[in-house]
Amino acid sequence: MRTPETKSTFFEYMGFNSTITDKFELALPLQEHLLQEDGTIHPGVFSTMLDITMGATVSLATNSFAATINLNCSFLDLLPKEAYHAETNILKEEGKYVTAEGMIYDQNRGLVAKGIGTFKTTPRKDIKEGGDC
């Protein structure tokens, strides 16, 4: 069974670094394989980063598994920077549904992408051992 601390092969391929203290933090150093032919960062990198950081934040805050049901992203700067980090805030909790916002900053604290997502939570105790979540 996966936990917020579990890293996948995809996570490692992307090059993400995460830490969990009282919150989930996600960082990404620039890597060649993240660039498009024109030298810019592929927007999917930022979409993935936002989805991971918001989902993990929701999961930690609710002690639940968080499944993305809606994700909207805006990309403000796709020029490559040295490194990126993501921050998340929970905006609203309503029953099983949680809405969060995420921001991705470059190493100089310049905002490069932002997003808002809605997640459906499933309490960990409701997931059967060996389940596919």
Side-chain angles (χ1 to χ4, degrees):
M1 181 175 357
R2 291 205 182 276
T3 65
E5 297 84 13
T6 304
K7 294 182 182 176
S8 69
T9 308
F10 177 72
F11 191 97
E12 291 168 355
Y13 172 77
M14 293 296 290
F16 294 124
N17 299 308
S18 64
T19 56
I20 301 172
T21 53
D22 58 331
K23 62 181 179 177
F24 181 83
E25 297 180 29
L26 190 63
L28 180 66
L30 180 63
Q31 297 175 55
E32 183 81 23
H33 70 277
L34 304 176
L35 300 176
Q36 301 184 96
E37 283 185 24
D38 66 359
T40 60
I41 296 287
H42 191 286
V45 172
F46 293 144
S47 297
T48 300
M49 196 170 181
L50 288 164
D51 188 37
I52 289 171
T53 194
M54 288 188 289
T57 297
V58 168
S59 182
L60 287 169
T62 62
N63 194 31
S64 302
F65 289 96
T68 309
I69 58 174
N70 187 44
L71 179 64
N72 294 300
C73 302
S74 297
F75 311 106
L76 308 172
D77 185 357
L78 296 176
L79 295 175
K81 304 295 192 287
E82 188 176 309
Y84 303 94
H85 74 276
E87 298 178 8
T88 299
N89 298 308
I90 292 178
L91 299 175
K92 183 176 183 177
E93 292 184 53
E94 190 170 315
K96 293 183 178 185
Y97 301 97
V98 179
T99 301
E101 68 176 347
M103 287 74 56
I104 300 175
Y105 298 96
D106 64 23
Q107 74 278 1
N108 297 318
R109 194 91 179 127
L111 183 63
V112 297
K114 62 182 182 175
I116 189 166
T118 303
F119 299 82
K120 181 178 180 184
T121 60
T122 304
R124 293 183 189 282
K125 66 181 188 264
D126 291 349
I127 304 293
K128 294 181 180 162
E129 195 65 36
D132 192 25
C133 291

